[in-house]
Amino acid sequence: MKRYDKIVLVLLFAAFATGIIFTARGAMSPYVTFAEARKSGRPVQVKGCAVAGTAEEIDNNSFSFHMQDENGETVPVFARVKMPANLFEAESVVVTGRFEGDVFTANKILVKCPSKYEAEHPSGVKKE
Amino acid sequence: MFWQILLGIWMTAVILASFLYMPATQGLGQTGRIIVYHVPAAWLAVLAYLISMLNAVGYLRRGELRLDRQARINAELGTVFCLVATVTGAIWSRAAWGWYWNWDPRQTSIAVLLLIYTAYFVLRSAVSDQARRARLSAVYSVLAFLTVPFLVFVVPRVYASLHPDLINLEQGSFDMDRKMLVVFLASLAGFTGLYAWMYKLVARLENLLDKLEQQKRGEAESER
């Protein structure tokens, strides 16, 4: 390969890399903080943790709880879904929705449990 | 024939072991077993795309149409495995996080990857001249592969993702239960063998079709 070709290839590679990283910023990262969610008029996804002991089941298909986002801000969340059983064991919780006044109203909730590629305890500690 | 039978037995053993020998995973329970299929599929997508790109570079250097065909077949197989990884990932996402699709960085990046390689096939089908098609798609293949390391390895680690990482970058270790690791590595080997076999079959089939075509052309000419 000629030297010129190599330079062109390296430049193309660099252009691709920066292009992806920059365009990716908006497209690739759906998760925002409560502060950003407040500014945005559209439904957004907020990632954080459920604060233990704050859940209140309203009926079979809605509940409320407090969630702390990654900046450490705690906000009351009203969720129009059935309460996930493992909400407080979750390593992170993602709520999708928007602010209605001071309350974040979510119509979708994702729960990620800590997972380790280790065998489950045979003693039956496992919770369903 | 021998190694195909061996591969058949091997994959059967892997499937059985993934349900019977491998323990359920902490936190994920029974759904953790899908790792035996999900990760090898993703790995093979990357491998097939890499080999496709190498063949494309080879074509650009030597101009043999054989290399163009190898590049295309590998891109096809890569896309098949990429789809398998996407679908098993969505199923797993439903089981582990509660929803099939969430536009998590992992999901977005694999969707983009699928689109990039779909465009490769669209490009191929749009050019009818063989040599021209081979040259254009070889250049495109190289560019397409440049995005793979970013989409597969960088983006999901740079942006906050729910997707777990098998490799612990901080400690530089690979955290996995012994039994799981055995089944997982056996599956990785089995899947790689499966890919090699699929490649061989497609290549052989196309060579035979080529010969048939040539024969027909020869007969038509001798009749004239």
Side-chain angles (χ1 to χ4, degrees):
Chain A
M1 213 186 282
K2 278 183 233 140
R3 210 174 138 198
Y4 171 77
D5 291 347
K6 274 185 192 159
I7 294 169
V8 168
L9 264 184
V10 168
L11 281 179
L12 272 176
F13 188 71
F16 250 74
T18 39
I20 286 183
I21 294 292
F22 278 98
T23 52
R25 187 151 271 176
M28 290 291 177
S29 184
Y31 310 122
V32 299
T33 58
F34 279 126
E36 289 167 274
R38 220 171 260 123
K39 278 186 237 154
S40 165
R42 292 187 304 156
V44 286
Q45 302 195 29
V46 182
K47 191 163 168 255
C49 276
V51 182
T54 55
E56 258 177 67
E57 215 162 347
I58 296 162
D59 56 47
N60 215 6
N61 276 316
S62 59
F63 70 101
S64 68
F65 70 108
H66 287 242
M67 188 174 119
Q68 190 175 41
D69 72 5
E70 286 177 330
N71 277 358
E73 189 187 351
T74 306
V75 162
V77 174
F78 170 71
R80 268 190 282 250
V81 284
K82 194 173 162 20
M83 190 166 115
N86 47 6
L87 184 66
F88 295 105
E89 290 156 40
E91 181 181 282
S92 46
V93 173
V94 172
V95 286
T96 305
R98 63 171 92 201
F99 269 101
E100 278 171 19
D102 289 334
V103 179
F104 189 88
T105 307
N107 40 33
K108 182 172 159 186
I109 182 161
L110 270 89
V111 170
K112 190 210 174 182
C113 280
S115 53
K116 256 182 145 178
Y117 293 94
E118 268 162 31
E120 226 166 47
H121 301 299
S123 53
V125 192
K126 187 191 142 200
K127 286 166 202 154
E128 267 305 308
Chain B
M1 196 61 200
F2 171 73
W3 70 278
Q4 278 96 331
I5 293 172
L6 197 74
L7 188 63
I9 297 170
W10 183 275
M11 283 310 284
T12 314
V14 165
I15 292 167
L16 287 177
S18 75
F19 288 102
L20 302 174
Y21 173 74
M22 190 175 140
T25 317
Q26 240 181 60
L28 290 166
Q30 302 296 337
T31 65
R33 299 182 196 281
I34 205 166
I35 194 172
V36 175
Y37 309 95
H38 176 68
V39 179
W43 142 248
L44 275 179
V46 173
L47 181 72
Y49 285 151
L50 172 72
I51 294 176
S52 168
M53 184 272 278
L54 292 176
N55 277 303
V57 171
Y59 174 80
L60 288 176
R61 281 192 165 171
R62 281 186 272 160
E64 291 168 26
L65 277 174
R66 176 182 62 90
L67 293 168
D68 173 59
R69 168 174 293 175
Q70 286 170 12
R72 194 203 71 230
I73 296 174
N74 273 296
E76 285 169 1
L77 288 175
T79 306
V80 168
F81 283 113
C82 200
L83 275 172
V84 171
T86 311
V87 171
T88 51
I91 294 169
W92 204 355
S93 157
R94 173 79 173 90
W97 308 334
W99 295 82
Y100 284 109
W101 201 265
N102 184 50
W103 295 110
D104 187 86
R106 263 287 179 212
Q107 294 172 327
T108 311
S109 59
I110 204 163
V112 170
L113 190 61
L114 279 171
L115 287 177
I116 286 174
Y117 276 91
T118 308
Y120 172 79
F121 299 117
V122 173
L123 173 70
R124 290 196 71 97
S125 68
V127 185
S128 55
D129 178 55
Q130 219 174 19
R132 200 171 133 80
R133 174 175 62 212
R135 205 167 55 244
L136 280 175
S137 53
V139 173
Y140 183 84
S141 173
V142 174
L143 286 176
F145 188 76
L146 288 183
T147 66
V148 171
F150 287 96
L151 291 173
V152 178
F153 301 109
V154 179
V155 163
R157 289 189 172 85
V158 171
Y159 301 105
S161 166
L162 292 179
H163 194 281
D165 248 334
L166 265 184
I167 302 160
N168 191 332
L169 283 178
E170 279 155 34
Q171 289 163 22
S173 61
F174 192 84
D175 303 322
M176 207 189 252
D177 172 80
R178 195 79 177 277
K179 282 183 175 178
M180 282 179 201
L181 192 65
V182 169
V183 182
F184 175 71
L185 291 178
S187 168
L188 214 53
F191 262 84
T192 311
L194 214 57
Y195 154 71
W197 188 11
M198 283 162 85
Y199 172 74
K200 255 183 100 172
L201 274 180
V202 180
R204 215 171 77 194
L205 178 70
E206 293 206 1
N207 282 337
L208 284 174
L209 286 174
D210 260 8
K211 267 190 194 150
L212 198 70
E213 186 97 338
Q214 270 171 12
Q215 218 171 29
K216 269 189 195 158
R217 218 179 291 151
E219 276 167 19
E221 264 167 34
S222 61
E223 271 171 30
R224 232 183 275 160

